[in-house]
Amino acid sequence: MKHIVYDCDNTFGVRNCDVDDGLALLYLLGCKDAIVHGITSTFGNSNIETVHQTIQKMLKEIGREDITLKRGGNCAGAYQSEAADYLADMARKYQGELSILATGSLTNIRGAYLQDSKFFENVKEIVLMGGITEPLIFEKKVMNELNFSCDPLASLTVLEKGRRVSVITGNNCLKVLFTKEEYKKELFTSDRDIAKYIRERTDYWFGYNQEDYGIQGFYNWDVTAAVYLMHPELFADVKDRYDFSGEDLKTGYLRASGNGRQECNLPVILEEQAFKRNIYDTWMNVEMPKRSNMDSTV
């Protein structure tokens, strides 16, 4: 059983904003061997107020208001927050057992370290979604890195001082594209409430990716990190030496170097269909409350 705190910039269902933090949360909740003790909100996809309210709304909609939610810092350098305190407290409470999944800016995690210098020693593992090893070039334009670059100092702290850190980079997520055709096959033919919920909240995202980037579908960036946390057997670990710097991290760049100061693991997906099958099946494990009063739009 994994004990998890999820640190995220969830904008699930917010128009023109990313959906994959919310999909990653649903994935974790569908894993029978995962306990999501809490969620800490951070900025990135949107401002902290929008993110925090989105998480509150989502937890109510899926009937999981029992999950602790703590507000994080609202900008780079805002290291004192209830989220940072909570992360440090949970790492002490579950010393050697706590897994952290982080899919937004890393401000709260640096804050936890500043609150408790033994924070990284107490944590069992950290899985991050973020960083690039080369530009993300699509048909219409280049996609900027949007996680590590939000707070480069915080990212540098986690990458340099963290123990057992694995990074799902934007580049490694490109191996698997979720197309609208298969998305419809999996979710639009199901009468399960969770399938209806996901398609209502995320269907617009295909249009956004097509119009803005020319992508014929979307990449499940944050879900990929959640899958690695729960099922690392679906990936190949790729460890290398890196020279991390605050300057590089302003663009999220991870600089590999044969004699770099830090070793870091950048896992890659092994087999596309097994990976996708695991995601769709796990989402369907989520039990939804009655939806009679649920809005279909945000």
Side-chain angles (χ1 to χ4, degrees):
M1 188 66 68
K2 283 188 182 280
H3 298 274
I4 300 168
V5 173
Y6 183 26
D7 187 63
C8 63
D9 55 345
N10 183 14
T11 49
F12 188 72
V14 178
R15 291 296 178 185
N16 298 321
C17 287
D18 219 325
V19 302
D20 53 330
D21 297 82
L23 291 174
L25 173 59
L26 293 175
Y27 178 86
L28 292 177
L29 296 179
C31 291
K32 300 185 186 305
D33 51 351
I35 300 175
V36 181
H37 291 281
I39 302 170
T40 47
S41 59
T42 190
F43 66 96
N45 288 334
S46 190
N47 60 71
I48 194 67
E49 284 302 321
T50 297
V51 170
H52 198 78
Q53 290 173 15
T54 299
I55 300 171
Q56 284 181 320
K57 184 176 186 291
M58 185 174 180
L59 290 177
K60 182 177 181 180
E61 289 174 344
I62 63 177
R64 292 305 309 267
E65 290 178 282
D66 59 301
I67 297 175
T68 299
L69 172 61
K70 298 292 184 179
R71 185 186 305 268
N74 64 352
C75 63
Y79 300 127
Q80 293 185 333
S81 67
E82 62 177 21
D85 292 344
Y86 176 73
L87 283 162
D89 289 344
M90 291 297 286
R92 286 189 291 266
K93 182 176 180 179
Y94 292 95
Q95 186 174 0
E97 297 182 86
L98 186 69
S99 299
I100 295 175
L101 175 64
T103 61
S105 58
L106 299 181
T107 302
N108 298 333
I109 298 181
R110 184 172 196 269
Y113 168 71
L114 294 177
Q115 202 257 27
D116 183 353
S117 61
K118 293 185 177 180
F119 171 72
F120 290 118
E121 298 174 38
N122 292 336
V123 171
K124 177 183 177 181
E125 61 188 337
I126 300 175
V127 177
L128 309 174
M129 194 285 126
I132 54 173
T133 53
E134 59 185 67
L136 298 172
I137 301 174
F138 296 103
E139 180 182 325
K140 293 187 177 181
K141 64 180 179 181
V142 175
M143 181 181 291
N144 294 329
E145 197 280 342
L146 294 175
N147 285 352
F148 291 177
S149 56
C150 289
D151 189 338
L153 177 58
S155 301
L156 183 64
T157 299
V158 177
L159 292 168
E160 285 192 331
K161 298 185 180 297
R163 301 183 179 188
R164 297 168 296 278
V165 174
S166 296
V167 180
I168 303 297
T169 67
N171 306 93
N172 286 346
C173 289
L174 299 183
K175 183 172 181 178
V176 177
L177 178 69
F178 284 71
T179 67
K180 189 159 188 175
E181 180 180 355
E182 69 188 23
Y183 200 74
K184 283 186 172 182
K185 179 181 176 182
E186 293 287 346
L187 299 176
F188 282 64
T189 59
S190 173
D191 60 358
R192 290 186 61 82
D193 286 340
I194 185 62
K196 297 174 185 177
Y197 179 65
I198 292 173
R199 70 193 189 219
E200 287 172 2
R201 291 297 190 268
T202 64
D203 192 44
Y204 73 90
W205 195 236
F206 288 96
Y208 175 86
N209 278 271
Q210 169 62 35
E211 291 170 15
D212 263 37
Y213 293 98
I215 302 172
Q216 305 297 317
F218 71 88
Y219 298 100
N220 256 315
W221 319 96
D222 299 338
V223 178
T224 303
V227 177
Y228 179 76
L229 175 64
M230 298 307 303
H231 290 283
E233 72 276 7
L234 295 174
F235 295 74
D237 287 341
V238 180
K239 296 180 181 179
D240 203 347
R241 308 294 301 184
Y242 288 83
D243 276 324
F244 300 120
S245 73
E247 190 62 31
D248 280 344
L249 290 168
K250 288 179 181 178
T251 59
Y253 181 61
L254 306 177
R255 187 180 299 276
S257 173
N259 41 351
R261 290 169 297 169
Q262 281 84 33
E263 182 181 77
C264 193
N265 180 33
L266 274 57
V268 295
I269 300 163
L270 283 173
E271 203 281 312
E272 177 179 349
Q273 291 308 313
F275 173 77
K276 285 183 175 179
R277 186 73 268 143
N278 176 267
I279 291 172
Y280 284 119
D281 289 348
T282 303
W283 281 338
M284 292 305 104
N285 290 335
V286 178
E287 295 295 332
M288 292 283 294
K290 292 184 178 180
R291 306 175 67 247
S292 57
N293 296 321
M294 186 180 298
D295 295 331
S296 60
T297 58
V298 176

